[in-house]
Amino acid sequence: MNSSLRLVTSPEPGVSRYATLAQALRARVVAGEWSPGSALPAESQLAKEHGVALGTMRRALELLVEQGFIERIHGRGTFVRQGLAGASMLRFFRFDSGTGEVPVSRILQRSRVSAPAAVSRALGIGAGEPVLRVHRLRLMAEQPRLFEELWLPLDLFAPLADDDLASWDDLLYPMFARKLQVHIHRALDDIGFGQLSAAQARHLGLPAGHPCAQVQRSAYDLSGRCVELRITRGDAHAFHYTVNIT
Amino acid sequence: MNSSLRLVTSPEPGVSRYATLAQALRARVVAGEWSPGSALPAESQLAKEHGVALGTMRRALELLVEQGFIERIHGRGTFVRQGLAGASMLRFFRFDSGTGEVPVSRILQRSRVSAPAAVSRALGIGAGEPVLRVHRLRLMAEQPRLFEELWLPLDLFAPLADDDLASWDDLLYPMFARKLQVHIHRALDDIGFGQLSAAQARHLGLPAGHPCAQVQRSAYDLSGRCVELRITRGDAHAFHYTVNIT
């Protein structure tokens, strides 16, 4: 029964057989059958389970590789990709002190709030639904460098609303995976420029109105749901980013 | 004689046979045998010319596709990629007036100068060697939006030092290809934030010291030589860029 459910008998019009198959494999990952970092069964086994030719299964797996969903490790097999590690804000900034270390995180504030309109839109939840709002500071060599505001939908993140902040890691994404089985799979960072409010500036030890780079991140879990909205602000003069154009 | 020269008989140690072959094919493009946009001969013909198996030639061509040097167009064949089109600074800015049109270019200044140290380093030429320096303004809906300083090595760009500026196109890269057979193949854009000098601000109709986004571009020709250094400045508040992280 289980295996017949997986037969790819009627692909949607306009969607190729292997794209439909890729979707079905993805659903098995989202359902938790294979967790991030774990190996997939052999291609021949998967082809048998889904009742398709080996070639069709190979094309479906290739598509998932292109989508960054799985990866092949030469000589070892095919694995569900690990989520993002989370230190990536540093790709946008260069601080004197920065020698590759993970910034230390200091949580300034954590509270349940009703989602403002822009937040509920970004997170795809109803207006005013409860979210967890977190303000945190990130320090390098004991200097505050980045000020972050995070909004997390409470239906997924409720366990983080009351737990001991001392148990929080400097890197949030591995913690989301460990504590909540929420795996951040991809993110969109929107870079803009602005000026620090008095409160933001105070946290960063800069004058109010100081120019800042601001990165608005939308982060998505394995199922493609936006599960985090984050705005990171840092000194505009420390901003640096390189784009390769071909 | 010609075809025996192309035999890949002794690849460098540590370099695979097909990587060496890819290098040899690239050299034929750089030498002008196939110009950007033109079709390559059939794989079987190329394999014969280089005295290699068809499979080896296919892997070499795949490598050149990955490097963005050639592209396959389904059902039509394999082509040397066209150079960059040149309007790409707009990927970093959003102006009210900007509805996809190419900004109009106004050349403010053009002169032969000795390369400053930073410029000669970037261009890989001797300190003080002659370069063509160009200042230009880019306007959208008649509003000046971007101020650009360009440095171009005079050994390649001498014909642009004295010609009629009225013959210059708004897009420089297609003009470089047409007038000089210089094909810009890839570019590195380094993004930072700064403040406009009094002169820069005047050109853009902004107050001196106004925050600006600045993009320092190094552009490379088919042979991998850096042939253009450009610094583009625009209002920081119009800066916007999205990065997809997976």
Side-chain angles (χ1 to χ4, degrees):
Chain A
M1 183 63 197
N2 198 19
S3 102
S4 76
L5 271 176
R6 286 184 193 137
L7 284 171
V8 181
T9 46
S10 56
E12 294 167 47
V15 177
S16 69
R17 189 173 173 79
Y18 68 91
T20 308
L21 181 57
Q23 194 56 44
L25 291 167
R26 219 172 143 139
R28 292 177 72 176
V29 174
V30 171
E33 188 170 350
W34 306 304
S35 57
S38 70
L40 293 188
E43 290 173 351
S44 55
Q45 172 65 25
L46 287 173
K48 207 156 91 183
E49 286 177 18
H50 286 265
V52 299
L54 188 57
T56 306
M57 180 54 71
R58 285 204 176 124
R59 289 194 70 181
L61 292 170
E62 267 167 36
L63 188 62
L64 292 175
V65 169
E66 278 168 32
Q67 292 171 347
F69 206 72
I70 60 175
E71 60 186 339
R72 293 175 192 281
I73 301 180
H74 190 70
R76 293 192 47 221
T78 304
F79 296 80
V80 180
R81 273 193 57 203
Q82 295 282 4
L84 299 179
S88 51
M89 280 302 157
L90 286 186
R91 75 181 66 199
F92 298 125
F93 293 92
R94 280 188 198 160
F95 301 108
D96 308 336
S97 51
T99 52
E101 85 257 49
V102 172
V104 171
S105 168
R106 184 186 300 160
I107 307 295
L108 302 174
Q109 198 195 92
R110 169 180 61 169
S111 49
R112 287 185 181 80
V113 298
S114 290
V119 172
S120 61
R121 248 195 324 275
L123 293 176
I125 59 178
E129 275 191 39
V131 291
L132 187 62
R133 186 185 65 190
V134 177
H135 287 183
R136 70 170 188 157
L137 205 55
R138 306 186 77 182
L139 303 91
M140 302 183 71
E142 295 173 27
Q143 294 294 309
R145 294 302 196 179
L146 301 173
F147 176 77
E148 298 193 318
E149 302 169 67
L150 291 87
W151 285 273
L152 307 163
L154 208 60
D155 64 322
L156 287 176
F157 289 89
L160 296 186
D162 306 294
D163 66 344
D164 183 2
L165 284 175
S167 75
W168 282 38
D169 300 338
D170 288 333
L171 290 182
L172 294 180
Y173 293 168
M175 183 181 87
F176 292 170
R178 184 168 51 80
K179 291 194 172 191
L180 310 165
Q181 284 74 54
V182 170
H183 300 277
I184 303 294
H185 173 58
R186 68 180 191 89
L188 270 186
D189 284 342
D190 250 24
I191 307 167
F193 177 87
Q195 280 157 317
L196 294 171
S197 71
Q200 293 159 357
R202 198 169 51 243
H203 289 304
L204 293 172
L206 292 168
H210 189 83
C212 69
Q214 51 196 37
V215 181
Q216 174 169 323
R217 165 173 293 186
S218 304
Y220 298 83
D221 72 2
L222 284 170
S223 73
R225 173 176 173 188
C226 180
V227 296
E228 182 202 42
L229 182 68
R230 183 195 303 208
I231 297 178
T232 302
R233 289 182 173 87
D235 188 342
H237 300 108
F239 179 87
H240 191 96
Y241 189 64
T242 298
V243 181
N244 193 358
I245 296 167
T246 54
Chain B
M1 182 64 199
N2 197 19
S3 100
S4 76
L5 271 176
R6 285 181 194 139
L7 286 171
V8 182
T9 46
S10 55
E12 294 167 47
V15 178
S16 70
R17 189 175 173 77
Y18 68 89
T20 308
L21 182 57
Q23 193 57 45
L25 290 167
R26 219 174 142 135
R28 292 177 72 175
V29 174
V30 171
E33 189 171 347
W34 305 304
S35 57
S38 71
L40 294 188
E43 291 173 351
S44 55
Q45 172 64 24
L46 287 172
K48 207 156 92 179
E49 286 177 17
H50 286 265
V52 298
L54 188 57
T56 307
M57 180 53 71
R58 285 203 176 126
R59 289 194 69 181
L61 291 170
E62 267 166 34
L63 188 63
L64 292 176
V65 169
E66 278 168 32
Q67 293 170 348
F69 206 73
I70 61 175
E71 60 185 340
R72 292 176 194 278
I73 301 179
H74 190 71
R76 293 193 46 219
T78 305
F79 295 80
V80 179
R81 273 193 56 204
Q82 295 281 4
L84 299 179
S88 51
M89 280 302 156
L90 286 188
R91 74 182 67 200
F92 298 125
F93 294 92
R94 279 191 199 159
F95 300 107
D96 308 336
S97 52
T99 52
E101 85 257 48
V102 172
V104 171
S105 168
R106 185 186 299 160
I107 307 295
L108 302 173
Q109 199 195 90
R110 168 180 64 168
S111 49
R112 287 184 180 83
V113 298
S114 292
V119 172
S120 60
R121 250 197 322 277
L123 294 176
I125 59 178
E129 274 191 40
V131 291
L132 187 62
R133 186 185 66 192
V134 176
H135 286 184
R136 69 171 187 157
L137 205 55
R138 305 185 79 183
L139 304 92
M140 301 183 72
E142 293 174 26
Q143 294 294 309
R145 294 302 195 180
L146 301 172
F147 176 77
E148 298 193 317
E149 302 170 69
L150 292 88
W151 286 273
L152 306 163
L154 207 61
D155 65 322
L156 286 176
F157 289 88
L160 297 186
D162 306 295
D163 65 346
D164 183 2
L165 284 175
S167 74
W168 282 39
D169 300 338
D170 288 334
L171 291 182
L172 294 180
Y173 293 169
M175 183 181 86
F176 292 170
R178 183 168 51 81
K179 290 194 173 192
L180 310 165
Q181 285 75 53
V182 171
H183 300 277
I184 303 296
H185 174 58
R186 69 181 191 90
L188 271 184
D189 284 342
D190 252 25
I191 307 167
F193 287 106
Q195 282 159 316
L196 293 171
S197 72
Q200 292 158 357
R202 199 171 48 243
H203 289 303
L204 292 173
L206 292 167
H210 188 83
C212 68
Q214 51 196 38
V215 182
Q216 176 171 321
R217 164 172 295 184
S218 304
Y220 299 82
D221 72 3
L222 284 170
S223 74
R225 174 178 172 188
C226 180
V227 296
E228 181 202 44
L229 181 68
R230 182 194 304 207
I231 298 178
T232 302
R233 291 182 174 87
D235 188 342
H237 299 106
F239 179 85
H240 191 97
Y241 189 63
T242 299
V243 180
N244 192 0
I245 296 166
T246 55

PDB file of all heavy atoms in Angstrom, chain A residues 64-75:
ATOM      1  N   LEU A  64      16.961  17.529  -7.766  1.00  0.00           N
ATOM      2  CA  LEU A  64      17.050  17.888  -6.343  1.00  0.00           C
ATOM      3  C   LEU A  64      18.451  18.394  -5.987  1.00  0.00           C
ATOM      4  O   LEU A  64      18.601  19.231  -5.099  1.00  0.00           O
ATOM      5  CB  LEU A  64      16.662  16.693  -5.471  1.00  0.00           C
ATOM      6  CG  LEU A  64      15.184  16.285  -5.546  1.00  0.00           C
ATOM      7  CD1 LEU A  64      14.942  15.009  -4.735  1.00  0.00           C
ATOM      8  CD2 LEU A  64      14.280  17.415  -5.027  1.00  0.00           C
ATOM      9  N   VAL A  65      19.461  17.883  -6.684  1.00  0.00           N
ATOM     10  CA  VAL A  65      20.826  18.403  -6.479  1.00  0.00           C
ATOM     11  C   VAL A  65      20.892  19.853  -6.955  1.00  0.00           C
ATOM     12  O   VAL A  65      21.385  20.738  -6.260  1.00  0.00           O
ATOM     13  CB  VAL A  65      21.879  17.549  -7.219  1.00  0.00           C
ATOM     14  CG1 VAL A  65      23.238  18.247  -7.233  1.00  0.00           C
ATOM     15  CG2 VAL A  65      21.998  16.164  -6.581  1.00  0.00           C
ATOM     16  N   GLU A  66      20.331  20.099  -8.173  1.00  0.00           N
ATOM     17  CA  GLU A  66      20.328  21.474  -8.708  1.00  0.00           C
ATOM     18  C   GLU A  66      19.593  22.432  -7.786  1.00  0.00           C
ATOM     19  O   GLU A  66      19.970  23.594  -7.649  1.00  0.00           O
ATOM     20  CB  GLU A  66      19.629  21.506 -10.075  1.00  0.00           C
ATOM     21  CG  GLU A  66      20.512  21.099 -11.229  1.00  0.00           C
ATOM     22  CD  GLU A  66      19.687  20.872 -12.499  1.00  0.00           C
ATOM     23  OE1 GLU A  66      18.677  21.560 -12.667  1.00  0.00           O
ATOM     24  OE2 GLU A  66      20.061  19.978 -13.284  1.00  0.00           O
ATOM     25  N   GLN A  67      18.537  21.932  -7.141  1.00  0.00           N
ATOM     26  CA  GLN A  67      17.758  22.778  -6.235  1.00  0.00           C
ATOM     27  C   GLN A  67      18.441  22.949  -4.882  1.00  0.00           C
ATOM     28  O   GLN A  67      17.926  23.647  -4.003  1.00  0.00           O
ATOM     29  CB  GLN A  67      16.361  22.165  -6.023  1.00  0.00           C
ATOM     30  CG  GLN A  67      15.489  22.208  -7.270  1.00  0.00           C
ATOM     31  CD  GLN A  67      14.208  21.416  -7.108  1.00  0.00           C
ATOM     32  OE1 GLN A  67      14.060  20.631  -6.173  1.00  0.00           O
ATOM     33  NE2 GLN A  67      13.261  21.621  -8.018  1.00  0.00           N
ATOM     34  N   GLY A  68      19.603  22.298  -4.708  1.00  0.00           N
ATOM     35  CA  GLY A  68      20.323  22.432  -3.444  1.00  0.00           C
ATOM     36  C   GLY A  68      19.659  21.667  -2.309  1.00  0.00           C
ATOM     37  O   GLY A  68      19.895  21.961  -1.141  1.00  0.00           O
ATOM     38  N   PHE A  69      18.836  20.692  -2.665  1.00  0.00           N
ATOM     39  CA  PHE A  69      18.066  19.990  -1.642  1.00  0.00           C
ATOM     40  C   PHE A  69      18.821  18.769  -1.133  1.00  0.00           C
ATOM     41  O   PHE A  69      18.765  18.419   0.035  1.00  0.00           O
ATOM     42  CB  PHE A  69      16.726  19.588  -2.258  1.00  0.00           C
ATOM     43  CG  PHE A  69      15.637  19.445  -1.256  1.00  0.00           C
ATOM     44  CD1 PHE A  69      15.092  20.564  -0.648  1.00  0.00           C
ATOM     45  CD2 PHE A  69      15.164  18.193  -0.898  1.00  0.00           C
ATOM     46  CE1 PHE A  69      14.092  20.434   0.294  1.00  0.00           C
ATOM     47  CE2 PHE A  69      14.159  18.065   0.044  1.00  0.00           C
ATOM     48  CZ  PHE A  69      13.630  19.179   0.638  1.00  0.00           C
ATOM     49  N   ILE A  70      19.508  18.113  -2.037  1.00  0.00           N
ATOM     50  CA  ILE A  70      20.362  16.971  -1.665  1.00  0.00           C
ATOM     51  C   ILE A  70      21.743  17.216  -2.260  1.00  0.00           C
ATOM     52  O   ILE A  70      21.911  18.099  -3.106  1.00  0.00           O
ATOM     53  CB  ILE A  70      19.802  15.615  -2.188  1.00  0.00           C
ATOM     54  CG1 ILE A  70      19.710  15.641  -3.722  1.00  0.00           C
ATOM     55  CG2 ILE A  70      18.428  15.337  -1.592  1.00  0.00           C
ATOM     56  CD1 ILE A  70      19.292  14.287  -4.315  1.00  0.00           C
ATOM     57  N   GLU A  71      22.736  16.468  -1.797  1.00  0.00           N
ATOM     58  CA  GLU A  71      24.060  16.590  -2.406  1.00  0.00           C
ATOM     59  C   GLU A  71      24.687  15.217  -2.527  1.00  0.00           C
ATOM     60  O   GLU A  71      24.425  14.327  -1.730  1.00  0.00           O
ATOM     61  CB  GLU A  71      24.961  17.527  -1.579  1.00  0.00           C
ATOM     62  CG  GLU A  71      25.185  17.078  -0.153  1.00  0.00           C
ATOM     63  CD  GLU A  71      25.956  18.094   0.677  1.00  0.00           C
ATOM     64  OE1 GLU A  71      26.662  18.944   0.098  1.00  0.00           O
ATOM     65  OE2 GLU A  71      25.860  18.025   1.910  1.00  0.00           O
ATOM     66  N   ARG A  72      25.505  15.065  -3.571  1.00  0.00           N
ATOM     67  CA  ARG A  72      26.226  13.812  -3.753  1.00  0.00           C
ATOM     68  C   ARG A  72      27.626  13.993  -3.202  1.00  0.00           C
ATOM     69  O   ARG A  72      28.289  14.975  -3.510  1.00  0.00           O
ATOM     70  CB  ARG A  72      26.335  13.472  -5.239  1.00  0.00           C
ATOM     71  CG  ARG A  72      25.009  13.153  -5.880  1.00  0.00           C
ATOM     72  CD  ARG A  72      25.202  12.954  -7.373  1.00  0.00           C
ATOM     73  NE  ARG A  72      23.935  12.929  -8.072  1.00  0.00           N
ATOM     74  CZ  ARG A  72      23.130  11.864  -8.115  1.00  0.00           C
ATOM     75  NH1 ARG A  72      23.496  10.751  -7.520  1.00  0.00           N
ATOM     76  NH2 ARG A  72      21.988  11.924  -8.757  1.00  0.00           N
ATOM     77  N   ILE A  73      28.057  13.067  -2.381  1.00  0.00           N
ATOM     78  CA  ILE A  73      29.435  13.117  -1.906  1.00  0.00           C
ATOM     79  C   ILE A  73      30.157  11.938  -2.533  1.00  0.00           C
ATOM     80  O   ILE A  73      29.759  10.776  -2.359  1.00  0.00           O
ATOM     81  CB  ILE A  73      29.499  13.095  -0.362  1.00  0.00           C
ATOM     82  CG1 ILE A  73      28.705  14.304   0.160  1.00  0.00           C
ATOM     83  CG2 ILE A  73      30.945  13.138   0.120  1.00  0.00           C
ATOM     84  CD1 ILE A  73      28.661  14.424   1.661  1.00  0.00           C
ATOM     85  N   HIS A  74      31.171  12.261  -3.336  1.00  0.00           N
ATOM     86  CA  HIS A  74      31.828  11.269  -4.179  1.00  0.00           C
ATOM     87  C   HIS A  74      32.298  10.073  -3.361  1.00  0.00           C
ATOM     88  O   HIS A  74      32.990  10.234  -2.360  1.00  0.00           O
ATOM     89  CB  HIS A  74      33.012  11.912  -4.911  1.00  0.00           C
ATOM     90  CG  HIS A  74      33.584  11.019  -5.968  1.00  0.00           C
ATOM     91  ND1 HIS A  74      32.916  10.729  -7.145  1.00  0.00           N
ATOM     92  CD2 HIS A  74      34.732  10.305  -6.002  1.00  0.00           C
ATOM     93  CE1 HIS A  74      33.640   9.902  -7.868  1.00  0.00           C
ATOM     94  NE2 HIS A  74      34.749   9.630  -7.201  1.00  0.00           N
ATOM     95  N   GLY A  75      31.891   8.906  -3.793  1.00  0.00           N
ATOM     96  CA  GLY A  75      32.317   7.680  -3.139  1.00  0.00           C
ATOM     97  C   GLY A  75      31.561   7.355  -1.863  1.00  0.00           C
ATOM     98  O   GLY A  75      31.797   6.314  -1.250  1.00  0.00           O
TER      99      GLY A  75
END
